[in-house]
Amino acid sequence: MEKLRVDTLAQKPGASQALGKVLAEELERMLGSGDLTHDAFLAVWEKIWSFEPRQEDSLLRWLRVTAKNKRLQAHQSQIRRPWVQLEAEPLARDKSPSQEFEMQEQASRLESAVAKLGSIFVRALRHRLAGGRPEALAQAESIQLSTARWRMGEVVRQLRRLLDESQRKPRVSLGSSSP
């Protein structure tokens, strides 16, 4: 693998493709196929050009650490958002950094608001987001129909209140402050 990296740096014909294939196969062996492997490959490929090995197996060890870190990041991301499993469209590539930051801030506010809801309201929110009717919630929760209707309405009111409160909080500025 290190020889392929050196050959790629020397721009030998076919070395770049061979290195990419070996890296992809190794990461797939470590992580399985899927988005996680793709993300790890991109992270490695971006930094491989500046990688400086200290020992013979440094590249392989670095690859393993990168794979492990990507797996941990994915696991932590799942822990932070256990309340909902949404299929999100990939972010558009033409978003400016400030637009991406704003989207992340909005998502963070929503996550924070949902985390403040009680478990009965989180279940009502899930049910509502899935397009469920109050009758199905009443049956699933073994509650009165009037209670199910109230919960499905109340969860929206509570989310609006929590989001309004978070909007009023001062925003964090990433720019430099001038005296």
Side-chain angles (χ1 to χ4, degrees):
M1 200 175 337
E2 176 58 25
K3 181 176 180 347
L4 284 174
R5 188 185 75 80
V6 171
D7 289 350
T8 300
L9 289 173
Q11 299 182 346
K12 290 190 177 178
S16 179
Q17 291 84 2
L19 177 62
K21 182 179 178 187
V22 168
L23 290 173
E25 288 172 352
E26 189 64 30
L27 286 168
E28 189 171 336
R29 188 184 64 73
M30 292 177 202
L31 298 170
S33 62
D35 291 342
L36 189 59
T37 301
H38 179 73
D39 292 346
F41 178 83
L42 290 177
V44 167
W45 196 254
E46 285 176 357
K47 295 181 181 175
I48 199 158
W49 316 113
S50 61
F51 178 78
E52 294 183 23
R54 293 194 174 111
Q55 296 175 355
E56 186 177 323
D57 64 342
S58 291
L59 183 58
L60 183 58
R61 286 188 292 139
W62 176 60
L63 199 62
R64 286 180 185 147
V65 168
T66 301
K68 179 182 174 186
N69 288 342
K70 286 294 177 185
R71 187 180 298 119
L72 286 173
Q73 288 170 355
H75 179 68
Q76 289 170 346
S77 175
Q78 289 297 321
I79 288 172
R80 276 187 237 124
R81 289 190 250 164
W83 53 272
V84 66
Q85 294 290 327
L86 297 176
E87 289 186 26
E89 292 182 18
L91 290 176
R93 299 273 184 216
D94 59 348
K95 297 253 186 250
S96 71
S98 61
Q99 288 171 324
E100 286 185 23
F101 177 77
E102 183 64 31
M103 288 176 62
Q104 289 173 349
E105 187 176 7
Q106 288 173 358
S108 177
R109 284 183 175 149
L110 181 59
E111 286 176 352
S112 177
V114 170
K116 291 176 183 175
L117 294 173
S119 62
I120 62 170
F121 292 112
V122 171
R123 290 191 303 272
L125 178 62
R126 280 189 190 145
H127 187 77
R128 188 177 180 105
L129 290 172
R133 304 202 29 88
E135 295 82 4
L137 179 64
Q139 184 179 10
E141 296 279 317
S142 300
I143 57 175
Q144 297 292 322
L145 179 57
S146 59
T147 304
R149 286 185 180 130
W150 175 81
R151 284 184 189 175
M152 288 180 76
E154 183 64 17
V155 72
V156 172
R157 285 186 287 280
Q158 284 189 24
L159 269 177
R160 282 186 182 141
R161 180 182 53 78
L162 290 167
L163 289 171
D164 285 344
E165 287 173 6
S166 72
Q167 280 294 106
R168 284 185 240 130
K169 291 181 180 176
R171 298 179 72 165
V172 175
S173 174
L174 295 178
S176 61
S177 59
S178 322

